[in-house]
Amino acid sequence: HLVINNGGNVGIGTAAPVATLTIGAATGGVRRVLKLGEGLGADGDAAIIEFSTSTTDSFGSQIVGGRETPGSGGLNFLSFRTGTNAQVERLRITNAGNVGIGTASPSTKLEVAGGLVVDSPTLYVDATNNKVGIGTDNPDTTFSVNGGASKVGGGSWATFSDGRLKNVKREFRAGTREIMKLNPVAYQYKSDNP
């Protein structure tokens, strides 16, 4: 059945529409609701599609198209929200095309607040403890690699030597004679290196 209430809301399958369009259906005792409407902020600066099992706004998932600043022109972000008692924004696409997961203001093309796993355990980022793992999903230092690492095509590795970071076993008392035994060479990487 179709209902239009005093506020102009339209209900299909429900006698109490709570949004511009509320579609409800009961299946096996569980109510399935799709709501199309507006909201978010005092100016109603958003268009919302909500999927829910309740006619109230406290349950369900939402796709929200809204304004970064209320009253600032057309809709310029897209937000995805989920929650059981209140919707929480999980992902946002800004008008600049930046995507934020766990953040409403991403400053790069992809910004993730919290941990990140890419094809576990290929790349694991533990943002809580500031650790990165390659080949491991349990990094035990700031940067942990399980497997080999290589540097092809030139460049240099940075190696830090600091007495505060070492247990000195003994002093090196030998001198020029040992240094003269070194055989330094000049080299260039082969052009057919992978």
Side-chain angles (χ1 to χ4, degrees), residues 35-50:
K35 294 181 269 189
L36 305 175
E38 60 183 51
L40 192 73
D43 297 330
D45 284 350
I48 300 173
I49 300 172
E50 182 173 326

Side-chain angles (χ1 to χ4, degrees), residues 17-186:
V18 295
T20 304
L21 174 63
T22 304
I23 302 171
T27 305
V30 177
R31 187 146 189 87
R32 312 251 192 286
V33 180
L34 170 66
K35 294 181 269 189
L36 305 175
E38 60 183 51
L40 192 73
D43 297 330
D45 284 350
I48 300 173
I49 300 172
E50 182 173 326
F51 309 89
S52 181
T53 56
S54 169
T55 55
T56 70
D57 288 335
S58 59
F59 302 100
S61 301
Q62 296 178 336
I63 300 172
V64 178
R67 297 179 184 167
E68 297 288 348
T69 305
S72 64
L75 302 179
N76 58 15
F77 75 85
L78 187 62
S79 170
F80 296 84
R81 301 166 178 212
T82 62
T84 53
N85 293 320
Q87 289 84 9
V88 176
E89 183 171 275
R90 308 297 181 180
L91 183 140
R92 176 179 287 227
I93 303 171
T94 68
N95 63 346
N98 295 341
V99 176
I101 299 174
T103 177
S105 54
S107 58
T108 61
K109 289 299 173 189
L110 177 61
E111 185 173 333
V112 179
L116 171 68
V117 177
V118 178
D119 191 26
S120 180
T122 303
L123 174 64
Y124 179 85
V125 178
D126 179 355
T128 303
N129 297 305
N130 295 320
K131 294 180 180 179
V132 175
I134 294 179
T136 177
D137 57 6
N138 189 22
D140 56 358
T141 61
T142 302
F143 182 64
S144 298
V145 177
N146 182 12
S150 64
K151 179 186 62 61
V152 296
S156 62
W157 293 98
T159 305
F160 300 96
S161 182
D162 187 331
R164 296 172 297 176
L165 306 175
K166 302 173 184 175
N167 292 320
V168 177
K169 294 185 175 184
R170 60 183 159 71
E171 290 183 7
F172 183 74
R173 297 197 181 270
T176 307
R177 184 177 50 176
E178 283 74 16
I179 293 173
M180 294 305 292
K181 290 179 185 178
L182 297 175
N183 184 25
V185 297

